Amino acid sequence: MSNLLVLGGSGRTGVHVLECAAQRGHHVRALVRNPDKVQAPAGVELIQGTPANIDDIRRAAEGTEAVISVLNNARASDNPWAKPVSPPTFMTDAARHTLTVMGEQGIRRIVLTSTQGAGDDWARLNPLVKAFIKLSNIKAGFEDHTGVDQVIHASSGIDWTLARAVALTDKPAGGPVRAAEAGTEKPGARINRADLARFLVQTIEDDTWIREAPLVWNTRG
């Protein structure tokens, strides 16, 4: 059992992280903008604030032992051309703040969601996929994910994991999950948010994928 801080707990993947972590007996604290709008499981402590403010992270992190970040650079809708609504470096700045607070408070473990194609995985993407990303407003999120990738890789004294998810879906949990170092296996096309959440919590529990950035996908379903 761990004392976990969750960033992004009000999002579509984050709510599954809160549920999974609570069900598995962890003490969970989530930093959210509006606690009244979050239907958190019993026992989950909601702290009002934003990861854009380092002092809010400091308050929320007190007494915790590990961090799960499921932040996202949001658009107005899932439409690839929808207008971005997050600041361009929202996730990158939040990651930098979080690492600073972890250093101050002696927290060593963090697991973050990332995306296929972030950082050095960009070179492995299909040229047509790259062109689509560059032409659409998905580009902003990819650039921010790559910023997070760079900040995390440059950190020292931190046991980090970047879970590079393939395309996310809202199907029910239950599909088997596979994770592998980028370039070693051909990944599946999708992963359910609930299954990704379970992978994130399991990675914290098992202390696996330390200082690695595996691709994560459902093998079926």
Side-chain angles (χ1 to χ4, degrees):
M1 183 168 14
S2 299
N3 295 316
L4 300 178
L5 171 61
V6 178
L7 303 177
S10 61
R12 286 184 290 174
T13 303
V15 294
H16 292 293
V17 172
L18 298 185
E19 182 178 3
C20 178
Q23 286 180 346
R24 296 170 80 109
H26 298 285
H27 296 301
V28 184
R29 185 181 296 158
L31 180 65
V32 296
R33 291 181 184 275
N34 190 342
D36 293 335
K37 293 186 177 181
V38 181
Q39 294 184 341
V44 172
E45 181 183 2
L46 300 178
I47 304 294
Q48 186 170 15
T50 169
N53 185 327
I54 192 170
D55 288 330
D56 288 347
I57 299 177
R58 286 189 175 107
R59 287 190 297 109
E62 289 181 2
T64 61
E65 302 165 86
V67 181
I68 296 178
S69 176
V70 281
L71 296 171
N72 187 36
N73 192 301
R75 300 189 307 279
S77 74
D78 284 339
N79 186 305
W81 281 269
K83 181 180 178 181
V85 295
S86 298
T89 59
F90 171 66
M91 292 187 295
T92 303
D93 293 341
R96 187 176 291 110
H97 291 334
T98 302
L99 291 175
T100 296
V101 171
M102 291 174 67
E104 293 171 350
Q105 299 190 14
I107 303 168
R108 291 188 58 88
R109 188 71 172 108
I110 184 170
V111 175
L112 309 95
T113 53
S114 184
T115 183
Q116 182 181 19
D120 61 6
D121 195 45
W122 175 259
R124 300 183 183 92
L125 290 184
N126 181 291
L128 292 177
V129 174
K130 289 182 181 179
F132 174 73
I133 291 169
K134 289 179 178 179
L135 289 172
S136 71
N137 282 334
I138 295 176
K139 178 183 178 181
F142 267 82
E143 290 178 344
D144 205 4
H145 273 302
T146 293
V148 172
D149 199 281
Q150 293 169 345
V151 167
I152 293 297
H153 274 89
S155 66
S156 60
I158 298 294
D159 293 334
W160 54 263
T161 303
L162 285 166
R164 290 176 174 170
V166 295
L168 293 164
T169 77
D170 292 312
K171 291 183 178 181
V177 173
R178 177 72 178 164
E181 182 180 348
T184 62
E185 295 185 28
K186 182 179 179 180
R190 293 174 175 79
I191 185 166
N192 306 328
R193 295 178 190 276
D195 288 322
L196 174 60
R198 179 166 51 87
F199 174 82
L200 301 175
V201 175
Q202 189 79 48
T203 300
I204 287 281
E205 292 174 346
D206 295 344
D207 228 14
T208 51
W209 297 104
I210 300 294
R211 301 187 70 82
E212 294 186 87
L215 291 171
V216 188
W217 67 93
N218 281 126
T219 57
R220 68 171 186 271

